[in-house]
Amino acid sequence: MCGITGVISDSNAPFKAFIGLKKLEYRGYDSWGIAFKSCDGIEVYKAVGKIITPEKGTLNHNSYASIAHTRWATHGKVTVENAHPHTSNDKSIAIVHNGIMENYQEVKQQLLKKGFTFYSETDTEVLANLIQLKVSEKKNFAEGVRAALLEVEGSYAILALHKDTYEMVAAKNGSPLALGIGNKELFAASDVAAFLPYTKTAVYLNDFEMAVLGNDLKVLDIKTGKELQYRKKQILWTVEQAEKGNYAHFMRKEIDEQPFTIKKSIEQEKGKVEKVAELIKKAKGVFFVGCGTSYHSCISSSYLFSGIAKMHVNVVLASEFRNYKEFLKPETLVIAVSQSGETADVIDAIKTAKSKGSKVVAIVNVMDSTVMRLSDDCLMMNAGPEICVLSTKSYTSQLSILSLLAYAVAGRLNEGKQLIEEASKKADETIRRNEPIAKEIAKKFSNAKDFFLIGRDLAFPTALEGALKIKEVSYIHAEGFAGGELKHGTIALIEDGVPCIVLCTDETRPLIISNATEVKSRGGAIIGVDSKEDSIFDYFFRVDELGSANPILMILPIQLLAYHLALERNCDPDKPRNLAKSVTVK
Ligand code: BG6
């Protein structure tokens, strides 16, 4: 789940590629590199660590073609050798790659027999040399790339340059790749954010499609080589939306955007929510699938649908969905929830559903993402670009849309809308009121070894999501679990001073308070999230009681706590170690 970008422009292509790469850093940030055409052929610059402006004179600003890459290591350690771009033995080819070439060892053996040598441990260097071989056979750059890709097993989005050819070649299978059409310049990138400062006109490649970017743009079918028609699309997001503004971190900015994005999430196309509600009602079996934070909102949907719509729905981790293949029929409905719309396991789950003729509805935040294009219908989260690797505003948008769907199935759509609007109104004061307490708790517990989070009913998935936020950004072990499970194991880990966040609602307060009492009697420090104070609380986050919309407000103070724990521990809230915004490999 790396980020790749490339530019063909009559002015300053390396600089534009570099700027674009900075915008993709949320996709992986353990090492990076850039290549550009010069009169000596192709020059390459690579470095380990986060993207920083290279020394003056490193980037040749007169170059018209450049490709760049920011890495999340899959094959080979985090070293300069393994960083991209990778070049072929004769230095004629340079490529950047996002994805995994599953048969690279086999191909490497064949190339070794042909006298090729290798300086890195990566699959991508094997592909660069395979392209060199095919270009020498086909005597044509684009045809050589196509021939090489026909021998690749696995996922890829690649950009390739040839030292003697004007064009750049882009190709996609499984990993995201969008093209940008500017004024006398062309772009290719994993995400439109990379070229948004230069153009709002995009072309989205489908699997097994490639493009030749030169004086004009040609899109070809990789399997047949035939030229394809392409559709231009206008990008709706603004550059500013993807900027930090006056905030120190995207995480804090995106937490603050939620009063607005919660409201935006229910501004759906007229009749769209009702239409999806009808699909849910008619379906013989409904499955909600997602990963990470999106999976937690799927779990919430099972409570929302049983509580509001009196309906059973299945919730499955996207990476485990293939185990349910036998139960999928054409009458089954799968609802795929994904902020980025590019998570490989969610895409796989959709392909499994499609292989059984099931209908798929996507709930995504990125327009024209792969999950959206593979689905029969789609509800947009309308949360705007979410740059921080952690999901915050997209989570509360997902919860809002899923609540709306449950109310629509119950024939109480307007009631659902009013409730979500009330949540959006209360969100801002919930954030303002609880931030000082979050800072205080973060200072007190920044060296804690563990955090435990307890919730019942709808507050159980909220406890799971809260634990994920704390883990993702502060690297403190955190575990969320259902209050009823406390005495079946986790209570063994409670000792003096261990912080335990207890999520109380009007429905569950008596049981949760007794859980809190059991924890306190073993020395645990109780952090209450509730609409009412209780003497058992050592710390108290006050959130308004909002019934089925409680999870939307209850997660806000925990997002703030996670943020301030990260600051107390000098962790980068926007680029936590080892994580990436969208996991495009399985
Ligand atoms: C992870 C992100 O990579 O993917 C999480 O860091 C996210 O924040 C998860 O919840 C799922 O991503 P998506 O885009 O499918 O919702």
Side-chain angles (χ1 to χ4, degrees):
M1 47 227 164
C2 310
I4 65 175
T5 184
V7 181
I8 292 274
S9 169
D10 51 12
S11 69
N12 218 340
F15 175 75
K16 289 175 180 167
F18 179 78
I19 295 296
L21 194 67
K22 288 288 289 174
K23 306 231 179 256
L24 298 181
E25 208 171 3
Y26 66 85
R27 304 180 60 86
Y29 30 82
D30 58 41
S31 53
W32 67 283
I34 186 164
F36 48 87
K37 301 286 291 283
S38 72
C39 42
D40 312 327
I42 301 174
E43 291 183 40
V44 176
Y45 174 85
K46 305 199 268 190
V48 167
K50 293 187 177 150
I51 303 173
I52 50 165
T53 310
E55 258 166 56
K56 207 163 175 343
T58 308
L59 300 183
N60 165 346
H61 296 293
N62 301 323
S63 172
Y64 75 89
S66 181
I67 56 176
H69 181 278
T70 181
R71 185 172 188 233
W72 193 96
T74 52
H75 287 70
K77 291 187 281 311
V78 176
T79 62
V80 170
E81 288 71 33
N82 290 336
H84 298 210
H86 283 288
T87 51
S88 59
N89 275 193
D90 65 358
K91 302 272 179 276
S92 65
I93 308 285
I95 70 170
V96 291
H97 172 214
N98 171 24
I100 292 181
M101 180 177 172
E102 284 152 16
N103 61 334
Y104 84 105
Q105 294 287 25
E106 200 188 314
V107 174
K108 188 171 184 174
Q109 293 314 315
Q110 294 158 9
L111 292 169
L112 283 167
K113 287 197 192 99
K114 293 182 189 302
F116 282 86
T117 58
F118 294 87
Y119 59 79
S120 80
E121 304 157 84
T122 65
D123 52 340
T124 307
E125 188 196 358
V126 174
L127 181 53
N129 284 311
L130 180 62
I131 292 174
Q132 176 191 320
L133 178 69
K134 295 298 176 186
V135 171
S136 64
E137 291 167 1
K138 300 284 178 187
K139 307 274 175 282
N140 175 284
F141 177 36
E143 268 310 295
V145 173
R146 190 170 76 83
L149 293 174
L150 290 173
E151 296 190 11
V152 169
E153 286 158 30
S155 64
Y156 57 79
I158 67 159
L159 303 176
L161 292 177
H162 187 286
K163 74 176 175 56
D164 305 326
T165 309
Y166 182 81
E167 290 83 13
M168 170 167 72
V169 172
K172 168 194 174 2
N173 175 33
S175 302
L177 193 60
L179 310 176
I181 301 178
N183 179 14
K184 294 204 194 85
E185 49 191 10
L186 293 169
F187 303 84
S190 305
D191 180 329
V192 294
F195 51 71
L196 198 53
Y198 307 107
T199 178
K200 292 196 134 204
T201 307
V203 172
Y204 295 89
L205 288 184
N206 296 309
D207 284 352
F208 297 110
E209 290 182 358
M210 61 186 280
V212 182
L213 295 82
N215 292 319
D216 60 5
L217 171 63
K218 258 206 318 262
V219 175
L220 308 170
D221 180 310
I222 291 174
K223 291 184 180 150
T224 64
K226 281 212 179 64
E227 186 160 351
L228 301 169
Q229 293 300 314
Y230 56 82
R231 262 185 64 203
K232 295 180 187 172
K233 290 232 169 158
Q234 287 308 305
I235 305 163
L236 304 176
W237 289 346
T238 64
V239 176
E240 288 65 39
Q241 280 181 297
E243 303 287 342
K244 257 188 282 192
N246 300 334
Y247 286 87
H249 301 101
F250 281 106
M251 183 178 180
R252 191 62 196 80
K253 173 186 177 237
E254 288 158 6
I255 288 174
D256 256 8
E257 286 176 353
Q258 291 175 99
F260 172 74
T261 53
I262 291 167
K263 188 159 182 333
K264 283 290 283 178
S265 67
I266 57 175
E267 292 170 9
Q268 295 292 331
E269 222 178 288
K270 198 160 177 5
K272 185 55 94 52
V273 175
E274 294 90 330
K275 183 178 167 211
V276 176
E278 278 314 304
L279 289 175
I280 294 173
K281 279 195 266 185
K282 285 207 195 82
K284 293 206 176 35
V286 178
F287 287 83
F288 284 84
V289 297
C291 300
T293 292
S294 299
Y295 172 62
H296 292 152
S297 46
C298 288
I299 299 176
S300 301
S301 70
S302 66
Y303 290 85
L304 292 166
F305 276 83
S306 56
I308 299 163
K310 311 296 176 222
M311 180 180 179
H312 166 71
V313 295
N314 306 289
V315 174
V316 182
L317 266 171
S319 52
E320 297 296 323
F321 189 62
R322 58 192 156 73
N323 300 300
Y324 295 78
K325 198 170 180 174
E326 294 322 307
F327 308 109
L328 303 177
K329 303 180 185 57
E331 303 79 28
T332 309
L333 176 67
V334 173
I335 300 195
V337 181
S338 172
Q339 187 284 131
S340 62
E342 300 296 349
T343 301
D345 286 319
V346 176
I347 292 169
D348 234 39
I350 293 174
K351 289 180 177 166
T352 303
K354 289 277 160 192
S355 70
K356 302 292 284 203
S358 307
K359 235 184 178 30
V360 178
V361 169
I363 298 180
V364 294
N365 192 39
V366 179
M367 183 66 83
D368 293 308
S369 55
T370 306
V371 167
M372 178 178 171
R373 285 181 282 126
L374 288 176
S375 302
D376 301 289
D377 215 328
C378 179
L379 289 165
M380 296 305 297
M381 291 177 205
N382 303 331
E386 189 174 63
I387 309 295
C388 172
V389 167
L390 276 74
S391 294
T392 52
K393 60 178 181 175
S394 64
Y395 178 62
T396 49
S397 296
Q398 289 165 0
L399 290 176
S400 305
I401 292 173
L402 293 166
S403 309
L404 216 54
L405 277 176
Y407 275 98
V409 169
R412 298 156 53 196
L413 182 54
N414 288 338
E415 186 189 333
K417 278 191 181 152
Q418 279 157 19
L419 185 64
I420 303 299
E421 265 163 25
E422 202 182 339
S424 79
K425 286 199 194 97
K426 291 197 180 302
D428 191 52
E429 65 181 280
T430 306
I431 293 166
R432 306 266 146 256
R433 178 177 55 231
N434 287 302
E435 180 144 42
I437 302 156
K439 282 183 180 165
E440 184 195 344
I441 297 171
K443 211 175 269 312
K444 169 81 178 155
F445 294 104
S446 60
N447 296 320
K449 235 176 2 71
D450 306 290
F451 262 86
F452 294 102
L453 297 88
I454 304 177
R456 286 173 182 258
D457 301 5
L458 259 171
F460 163 44
T462 311
L464 295 175
E465 176 57 13
L468 181 63
K469 294 289 93 115
I470 292 173
K471 277 187 281 194
E472 282 177 311
V473 77
S474 73
Y475 319 145
I476 298 174
H477 167 255
E479 185 186 337
F481 55 97
E485 281 304 291
L486 176 68
K487 295 188 276 299
H488 300 297
T490 309
I491 197 164
L493 299 176
I494 303 297
E495 51 192 21
D496 266 356
V498 169
C500 189
I501 300 175
V502 296
L503 301 152
C504 304
T505 63
D506 285 358
E507 287 275 324
T508 64
R509 185 169 298 107
L511 287 172
I512 284 285
I513 293 297
S514 85
N515 285 143
T517 313
E518 290 149 0
V519 168
K520 189 137 189 175
S521 60
R522 286 153 182 85
I526 305 299
I527 300 164
V529 179
D530 193 350
S531 57
K532 294 187 177 51
E533 180 129 25
D534 189 287
S535 58
I536 199 85
F537 298 159
D538 299 295
Y539 301 88
F540 173 45
F541 286 126
R542 191 165 69 73
V543 294
D544 297 281
E545 169 69 30
L546 266 187
S548 63
N550 278 334
I552 297 174
L553 294 182
M554 290 182 114
I555 196 64
L556 301 175
I558 306 172
Q559 292 171 347
L560 288 166
L561 174 59
Y563 176 70
H564 288 288
L565 280 169
L567 298 187
E568 285 293 331
R569 294 163 63 88
N570 293 322
C571 306
D572 180 341
D574 287 345
K575 298 191 189 89
R577 70 186 184 200
N578 304 340
L579 293 179
K581 184 65 185 168
S582 68
V583 179
T584 53
V585 290
K586 281 181 274 184

